[in-house]
Amino acid sequence: YIEGPEEGWYDGAGIFFAIILVVMVTAVNDYRQDLQFRELDAKNKDLRVNVLRGGITVSISIYEIVVGDILVLATGDQVAADGLCVSAASLMIDESTMTGESDHLKKDPITAPFMLSGTKVADGYGAMLVTGVGQNTEWGRLMASGKDPEEAAAKLEKLEEQLAQNQISQAEYDDAKEELESEDKGAETPLQVRLNGLANRIGQLGLGVAVLVFIILMCRWLSNFLKEDRKFATEDLEKIVDYFAIAVTIVVVAVPEGLPLAVTLSLAYSMKKMMNDNALVRHLKACETMGGATTICSDKTGTLTTNEMTVVKSWIAGNQREAEDTQSDETKRTLSSPVMTLLLQAICKNSEGEVYTEQDGKPLNPPMFTGTPTEMAVLKYGHALGADFKAVKAELQDVARDPFNSTKKKMGVLCKVKDGYRVHWKGASEIVLRLCTKMLTSDGSIVEMTEEKRAELFVLIDSMASKSLRTLCLAYADYPTVKNAEEELPDHDLICIAILGIKDPCRPGVPQAVERCQMAGIVVRMVTGDNEKTAKAIARECGILTDGGLAVEGQEFRRMSNEQRVARFGPKLEKLQVMARSSPSDKYDLVHMLRGLGEVVGVTGDGTNDSRALKEADIGLAMGIAGTEVAKKSSDIVIMDDNFASIVTVVRWGRSVYSNIQKFVQFQLTVNLVALTLNFIAAVATGQAPLTAVQLLWVNLIMDTMGALALGTEPPKEELMKQKPYGRTSPLITNIMWRNIIGQTIFQLAVLLIYTFEGYSLFNLEEVTGECKLVLEDGEVAHSYSKELCVDAAGESQWHAFDDHEKHEQHDTLVLNTIIFNTFVFCQVFNEMNAREMEKKNVFDGFFKNHMFMGIIAITCVFQVLLVELLGTFASTTHLSWDQWLICVAIGFISVPLAVLVKFIPVPEEDFFRLWELAQLEMLPRLSMSSEGVAQLKEAQERAYAAEYELAQLKGLKPPAKDEFGLEADSNDKKSAEDEIAALKAQINELNAKLQAKSDVSPAEIKIEGAE
């Protein structure tokens, strides 16, 4: 042993203990996070399903389904058990998760009754008798065998089978495989990827410094060794080992393994808290991405409104009525029998909802209504009219049904009547009314619908819509015969029965939530299937539609090119605030274009057809109450209460995650810079590092695990909602952070380097440089540390000059190094408090409310005292006096007022590195370059132009001009452009001449593409 068995094991044991402590703390944190993720995963899998029990439809957990239950299915639902179809209305099932087949299969009780767990309802509705649950289903048997059909590996296996059987092409296989691989890599969030990159760069810097320090120390040793002209001894090996330990220590402190840990801790903490705020996070990356959202495209129904609909206005057979009038006996009497019969048929037969008047043989008062909120509003209206639902439904026999979907925006039912067939249609007023050629009058007679009457009804619809009412049109038609009813119901020559105005009030708190978003720099858009007037009225009520804001219908938006959209709505479509009568494909197009323009898009969705837009968006937000299982599976976050205010809360938590990571990065980089620079300078100047391996491992624990836990769990503050979104390309380390880091680093390095080189005189300590052995008169041997005394008494030959390692082990040197270590730690403790606020002067705001932060600071201080006072043998520390302790704490505390002063230093908004790049670009033309340099510059300009040109083509925008990149336009380009301009001018002059001559000018002539 170099140091002997008595003391040689101290360093090794100390390092081993420190490593065990770091590993244990990290393992406990990881275990707690894993428990949280499992809990959230269990909530994700706990689906709600509708079953028929006791004669009524009830909602239960997927785990409560038993064999014999009747499972009620609607579009977007997941089939939660194996079973047999007992009723179906255009029921289409997506079995791709089980069979790999992308085509939807039609189910009915006769020809295709078998249904499998894990499949999804793509369209229609129906009911299923449960025959198998849990492990007794096909899905359960696959899961028990270790093959999850929804895992990437299982999906890839199915793709390979399809490719082998030539069911898909190689190109389709490659695209699907690439998408699956990208999903599989999605375990790491974008911020974790960025931080891993930052950690790698810092680690590489630390490794470089460590290698440099080791080389310098070895050069010093080799120089002394050659001067002394002696043989290699055990002491030399000890020095080399010490130098290597110093280098390893620098690497240990440089590698910031706490950066990715901080993200995980912050995300886990945020996910838990967000669950309490009605937001179930399905994908980790959504937490942080939502904080950078620059625009939110929100549905109207249920998100911005209460989803509690009631019919408040109606037009029935030529007469307008308020809802209150409908419930009066006089009104019921004024409706003739034929009109009442047809109206109640339209309400009761053409519905996917149900009305239950009794349960377990006991009457229900009021009755229970099921179905979508719109369906329930119409059914309640029918109940107010005195409808007997069972009797009305029993009157006519159903032949075929066409369920409602967001593309058709209407639904129908075909029934058998005495003289043939009767079809009832219900849907968006503008769509159904255009299909009507006749109308019902108050006495039950049928008259032709003139264009004047149709225009009058459209004015009525607009009047209702301007009062925030959603309108539905009820119509019917009788046909002697119907062909191919199973494929498509007839919808020609319809007879208009009624138009209903349904009120869905704005949710309380939504206008305030929208205002908070707008203050936070987030553009809120409403995307709805309602008509434009209704959408604009609700949007104004919610504060979404502002002065200068524009609304557009989905059909019109669909017809416009990207260039036309930008010209009308602004470079980032910022003027587009409402999209009405939109289809799922319109929503997808809007999201796709916004992302192409560099926006970070959050989009809400509840229907099956919304899944494409939810997947395309940066953050897909599904509705927990109204949302289908397909929509939830496609989303990143499920809003459990369907409330827009909860979406704003998610934004705040997302910003908090990003802000907390920035705080931790600021704190960690300061520690890294100080520790690296201090150990490098001291090791080169004195041959020894003032901070030992055990000490730096303790600092590593403070700044990595403990720092991540303290700063990563800071609760969100309302101030975050007053900042601009950080967007997609904002730098992680901002100018404000660099200012704070540099200010603290300069202060700490100045103090610690003064201690290192002038500490002996500052603290009245003696620097011992050697010793000699003096033989006293009584024969005892005494040690003297004074060179003058030794030379006078025994001659210079007896004087032994200490090397760097021996100097380091002297008591006063140990005291000084302990003071340096203690001051360094307390600087980090107080700087951890500074990191809580990057811009605010008062860093103690809310400090005493964050019990986690206070606890970690207290634990750090207690362990620091124990490390210095009781564990000095292992940590290379020694006892300090009270005044030395006070000095260490006081110097550390100075970093708090210093942080306040540093925050008065102004910094530019533009990133420092971006400013440097711009300065370099400005200098380029002024530099005198060789012909080779000029050629390289031109090549770079051409590459930049080509990239921008390709980007413009992808976005459908106008290509950039070459002169913007310092390039001359081609002569052919100039000529063709000049010719085009001349032709346009000639066409405009011709039109002006026609106008002056008052000639007829058609709109087609006036519209000139590119005339702008």
Side-chain angles (χ1 to χ4, degrees):
Y1 296 93
I2 294 174
E3 295 182 4
E6 294 81 9
E7 298 180 359
W9 63 278
Y10 288 160
D11 281 349
I15 292 171
F16 181 75
F17 175 74
I19 291 171
I20 289 294
L21 187 62
V22 171
V23 170
M24 287 297 293
V25 171
T26 306
V28 168
N29 279 330
D30 287 344
Y31 178 69
R32 289 181 61 203
Q33 293 157 34
D34 187 58
L35 288 180
Q36 289 179 353
F37 293 148
R38 287 186 184 186
E39 182 182 344
L40 289 168
D41 187 53
K43 288 185 181 293
N44 258 324
K45 291 179 178 177
D46 187 11
L47 309 178
R48 304 295 296 180
V49 294
N50 292 322
V51 297
L52 197 62
R53 287 183 179 177
I56 65 171
T57 303
V58 294
S59 177
I60 63 170
S61 167
I62 191 174
Y63 300 114
E64 296 174 9
I65 300 174
V66 295
V67 173
D69 270 334
I70 300 294
L71 199 62
V72 180
L73 300 171
T75 303
D77 286 350
Q78 181 169 317
V79 181
D82 283 359
L84 297 170
C85 177
V86 293
S87 69
S90 303
L91 186 61
M92 304 295 290
I93 301 295
D94 177 6
E95 294 187 349
S96 59
T97 52
M98 298 297 293
T99 63
E101 297 290 341
S102 58
D103 293 338
H104 298 159
L105 301 178
K106 189 172 184 179
K107 298 290 180 179
D108 63 70
I110 307 300
T111 60
F114 300 106
M115 302 180 72
L116 299 176
S117 174
T119 59
K120 298 177 182 68
V121 181
D123 198 9
Y125 58 95
M128 181 190 88
L129 173 66
V130 176
T131 59
V133 295
Q135 291 190 353
N136 295 316
T137 64
E138 285 298 314
W139 180 278
R141 279 189 277 273
L142 279 171
M143 294 290 283
S145 67
K147 293 182 179 179
D148 186 343
E150 290 199 337
E151 283 185 355
K155 291 179 179 177
L156 188 60
E157 189 177 331
K158 286 177 184 174
L159 282 173
E160 289 171 352
E161 289 177 7
Q162 289 177 299
L163 180 64
Q165 296 170 7
N166 295 323
Q167 294 177 358
I168 58 174
S169 66
Q170 183 67 44
E172 290 173 325
Y173 170 79
D174 292 339
D175 290 343
K177 183 180 178 182
E178 186 179 348
E179 186 178 347
L180 284 173
E181 287 174 347
S182 66
E183 286 178 7
D184 206 31
K185 290 175 184 174
E188 276 196 337
T189 71
L191 194 53
Q192 282 176 321
V193 173
R194 289 174 72 181
L195 287 176
N196 280 331
L198 179 62
N200 288 337
R201 288 193 291 274
I202 295 173
Q204 290 164 3
L205 174 65
L207 182 62
V209 172
V211 170
L212 187 61
V213 167
F214 183 72
I215 291 172
I216 291 171
L217 292 175
M218 285 298 296
C219 288
R220 285 184 51 155
W221 168 81
L222 187 61
S223 174
N224 292 332
F225 180 77
L226 293 174
K227 281 181 184 177
E228 294 172 4
D229 192 21
R230 57 181 175 79
K231 291 183 179 180
F232 187 84
T234 306
E235 291 78 9
D236 296 312
L237 179 60
E238 183 181 352
K239 287 179 184 178
I240 294 172
V241 170
D242 282 342
Y243 296 157
F244 184 74
I246 290 169
V248 170
T249 302
I250 290 173
V251 173
V252 167
V253 76
V255 176
E257 64 272 14
L259 285 176
L261 174 66
V263 181
T264 312
L265 280 169
S266 189
L267 289 174
Y269 171 76
S270 300
M271 284 174 69
K272 184 81 172 174
K273 294 294 184 181
M274 285 165 72
M275 187 66 203
N276 298 334
D277 288 336
N278 297 309
L280 174 62
V281 179
R282 297 188 68 254
H283 299 136
L284 264 180
K285 65 176 184 179
C287 285
E288 65 190 50
T289 311
M290 195 63 191
T294 57
T295 183
I296 296 174
C297 301
S298 173
D299 285 338
K300 177 185 78 72
T301 307
T303 309
L304 299 169
T305 59
T306 60
N307 216 10
E308 296 172 357
M309 300 190 187
T310 50
V311 176
V312 297
K313 203 173 184 67
S314 64
W315 174 94
I316 304 172
N319 296 316
Q320 291 188 48
R321 291 177 172 83
E322 301 294 329
E324 293 78 8
D325 299 335
T326 303
Q327 300 175 25
S328 67
D329 293 333
E330 184 182 348
T331 300
K332 295 172 188 175
R333 284 195 299 270
T334 57
L335 288 173
S336 64
S337 178
V339 172
M340 181 65 83
T341 300
L342 287 168
L343 178 61
L344 295 184
Q345 281 182 8
I347 291 172
C348 301
K349 290 295 291 182
N350 191 17
S351 173
E352 295 177 12
E354 292 288 341
V355 180
Y356 299 102
T357 55
E358 59 179 37
Q359 182 179 11
D360 298 327
K362 298 177 182 178
L364 287 172
N365 192 17
M368 180 187 292
F369 299 90
T370 65
T372 65
T374 307
E375 291 275 19
M376 288 195 287
V378 176
L379 290 174
K380 287 175 183 177
Y381 182 71
H383 175 70
L385 288 169
D388 184 342
F389 291 89
K390 286 187 177 179
V392 174
K393 283 198 165 189
E395 284 177 8
L396 303 176
Q397 177 190 345
D398 288 1
V399 176
R401 286 185 176 271
D402 189 352
F404 180 86
N405 66 45
S406 53
T407 304
K408 300 190 303 282
K409 298 191 184 300
K410 67 183 194 300
M411 61 185 291
V413 59
L414 183 69
C415 306
K416 187 77 177 73
V417 292
K418 187 183 295 183
D419 300 326
Y421 297 90
R422 176 171 294 166
V423 66
H424 280 283
W425 283 101
K426 174 177 69 180
S429 296
E430 307 96 298
I431 293 172
V432 177
L433 190 60
R434 286 193 183 98
L435 300 172
C436 295
T437 57
K438 299 172 184 176
M439 57 180 282
L440 207 61
T441 61
S442 57
D443 61 0
S445 60
I446 300 170
V447 297
E448 291 293 325
M449 183 178 288
T450 62
E451 287 303 317
E452 291 78 10
K453 192 62 184 177
R454 192 189 305 275
E456 184 183 320
L457 290 177
F458 273 117
V459 170
L460 173 66
I461 291 168
D462 285 346
S463 171
M464 290 184 181
S466 62
K467 296 174 183 175
S468 307
L469 302 186
R470 167 183 283 188
T471 58
L472 289 179
C473 182
L474 309 181
Y476 84 103
D478 288 328
Y479 305 100
T481 59
V482 174
K483 295 180 180 179
N484 302 322
E486 289 294 329
E487 295 180 9
E488 187 175 4
L489 299 189
D491 60 1
H492 58 87
D493 298 328
L494 299 185
I495 303 164
C496 183
I497 303 171
I499 295 172
L500 305 180
I502 301 173
K503 180 71 174 175
D504 186 11
C506 180
R507 273 185 185 271
V510 164
Q512 292 82 0
V514 170
E515 186 181 4
R516 285 174 66 200
C517 278
Q518 291 166 345
M519 287 177 62
I522 301 170
V523 178
V524 181
R525 295 177 170 86
M526 178 196 286
V527 183
T528 178
D530 283 342
N531 74 36
E532 190 173 339
K533 290 280 179 68
T534 305
K536 286 167 76 173
I538 287 284
R540 283 197 186 92
E541 195 177 337
C542 295
I544 293 174
L545 188 59
T546 59
D547 295 338
L550 300 175
V552 67
E553 287 199 350
Q555 189 176 6
E556 184 184 356
F557 184 80
R558 208 178 308 144
R559 288 197 301 261
M560 299 168 72
S561 68
N562 285 355
E563 193 169 4
Q564 289 171 327
R565 293 170 184 174
V566 169
R568 180 172 173 184
F569 302 118
K572 301 246 176 179
L573 305 188
E574 60 274 10
K575 293 179 184 176
L576 176 56
Q577 296 175 344
V578 177
M579 184 185 283
R581 283 287 178 246
S582 67
S583 66
S585 61
D586 296 329
K587 183 188 285 189
Y588 172 83
D589 287 344
L590 175 62
V591 172
H592 183 73
M593 184 171 179
L594 286 169
R595 291 192 73 219
L597 293 171
E599 298 288 279
V600 179
V601 186
V603 65
T604 68
D606 52 16
T608 304
N609 293 334
D610 288 331
S611 61
R612 193 160 167 246
L614 289 169
K615 287 179 179 177
E616 173 65 18
D618 294 283
I619 316 100
L621 301 154
M623 300 297 105
I625 299 172
T628 62
E629 290 306 320
V630 173
K632 292 175 188 176
K633 292 273 186 182
S634 303
S635 68
D636 300 300
I637 298 174
V638 179
I639 305 301
M640 305 303 289
D641 61 351
D642 291 14
N643 193 343
F644 186 82
S646 298
I647 297 174
V648 181
T649 304
V650 172
V651 173
R652 194 168 70 125
W653 274 109
R655 292 191 173 194
S656 176
V657 169
Y658 194 82
S659 175
N660 288 348
I661 300 308
Q662 285 186 313
K663 293 172 187 176
F664 179 70
V665 168
Q666 175 182 305
F667 169 66
Q668 179 145 52
L669 283 182
T670 306
V671 181
N672 274 14
L673 285 173
V674 173
L676 278 176
T677 309
L678 176 66
N679 266 15
F680 174 74
I681 294 173
V684 172
T686 67
Q688 286 291 329
L691 302 176
T692 66
V694 175
Q695 290 170 0
L696 284 175
L697 282 170
W698 166 239
V699 171
N700 202 45
L701 180 65
I702 294 172
M703 72 177 184
D704 280 353
T705 307
M706 307 285 275
L709 198 58
L711 293 169
T713 55
E714 277 279 297
K717 297 179 180 178
E718 190 56 33
E719 288 84 0
L720 292 170
M721 296 301 291
K722 296 174 183 175
Q723 301 171 0
K724 291 181 181 178
Y726 49 81
R728 200 182 295 278
T729 57
S730 299
L732 181 63
I733 307 175
T734 64
N735 293 349
I736 290 169
M737 293 168 65
W738 280 122
R739 177 194 64 191
N740 298 341
I741 291 167
I742 293 168
Q744 290 293 329
T745 301
I746 291 172
F747 163 70
Q748 292 183 27
L749 276 177
V751 170
L752 297 175
L753 288 174
I754 289 170
Y755 279 6
T756 302
F757 296 107
E758 300 295 331
Y760 290 102
S761 58
L762 287 172
F763 294 102
N764 295 319
L765 301 173
E766 182 182 356
E767 183 178 10
V768 179
T769 58
E771 68 171 351
C772 74
K773 296 177 181 178
L774 299 176
V775 180
L776 304 179
E777 292 179 357
D778 57 2
E780 291 186 6
V781 177
H783 292 269
S784 172
Y785 299 101
S786 170
K787 185 175 182 180
E788 292 79 7
L789 181 61
C790 180
V791 171
D792 291 343
E796 190 160 351
S797 61
Q798 295 300 316
W799 174 253
H800 169 64
F802 286 157
D803 58 23
D804 296 332
H805 180 70
E806 289 170 322
K807 288 178 186 176
H808 192 74
E809 291 183 335
Q810 302 310 307
H811 178 265
D812 281 8
T813 303
L814 197 59
V815 170
L816 179 60
N817 286 339
T818 303
I819 291 172
I820 292 172
F821 169 57
N822 212 27
T823 304
F824 177 66
V825 167
F826 277 100
C827 280
Q828 308 324 315
V829 168
F830 287 104
N831 193 37
E832 196 167 355
M833 297 178 190
N834 290 333
R836 292 184 66 247
E837 298 288 350
M838 288 184 284
E839 294 185 74
K840 281 178 67 176
K841 310 295 188 297
N842 182 12
V843 297
F844 295 103
D845 181 28
F847 175 78
F848 298 102
K849 294 179 182 177
N850 190 343
H851 302 298
M852 172 77 79
F853 195 97
M854 290 174 62
I856 287 171
I857 293 294
I859 290 169
T860 303
C861 293
V862 168
F863 271 91
Q864 180 64 17
V865 173
L866 294 176
L867 205 65
V868 170
E869 297 296 331
L870 301 179
L871 299 173
T873 307
F874 295 98
S876 301
T877 58
T878 189
H879 166 73
L880 297 180
S881 62
W882 278 107
D883 57 338
Q884 289 167 340
W885 269 103
L886 286 173
I887 290 171
C888 293
V889 175
I891 292 295
F893 180 76
I894 288 174
S895 65
V896 176
L898 177 73
V900 176
L901 294 175
V902 167
K903 287 170 186 174
F904 282 104
I905 301 173
V907 291
E909 288 188 12
E910 188 73 45
D911 182 40
F912 283 138
F913 297 103
R914 177 65 180 155
L915 287 173
W916 170 252
E917 289 172 6
L918 291 173
Q920 295 286 87
L921 287 172
E922 282 184 11
M923 288 173 64
L924 276 174
R926 302 173 195 168
L927 298 176
S928 56
M929 292 186 290
S930 63
S931 57
E932 184 182 352
V934 172
Q936 289 175 350
L937 175 59
K938 186 175 181 182
E939 184 184 350
Q941 289 169 332
E942 286 175 347
R943 284 202 305 269
Y945 169 74
E948 286 293 327
Y949 184 88
E950 186 177 353
L951 186 63
Q953 291 289 97
L954 287 172
K955 293 181 181 179
L957 303 178
K958 185 178 179 180
K962 282 191 172 184
D963 56 8
E964 293 176 18
F965 294 82
L967 299 170
E968 291 185 7
D970 295 335
S971 58
N972 292 337
D973 291 344
K974 284 182 179 178
K975 187 177 179 182
S976 60
E978 288 169 1
D979 291 344
E980 187 177 350
I981 290 167
L984 284 171
K985 283 181 178 178
Q987 194 174 356
I988 291 168
N989 290 335
E990 184 182 344
L991 285 171
N992 281 333
K994 283 185 181 181
L995 287 169
Q996 287 173 3
K998 296 184 179 181
S999 302
D1000 291 333
V1001 183
S1002 69
E1005 286 181 293
I1006 294 173
K1007 186 178 179 182
I1008 307 169
E1009 290 295 333
E1012 299 87 6

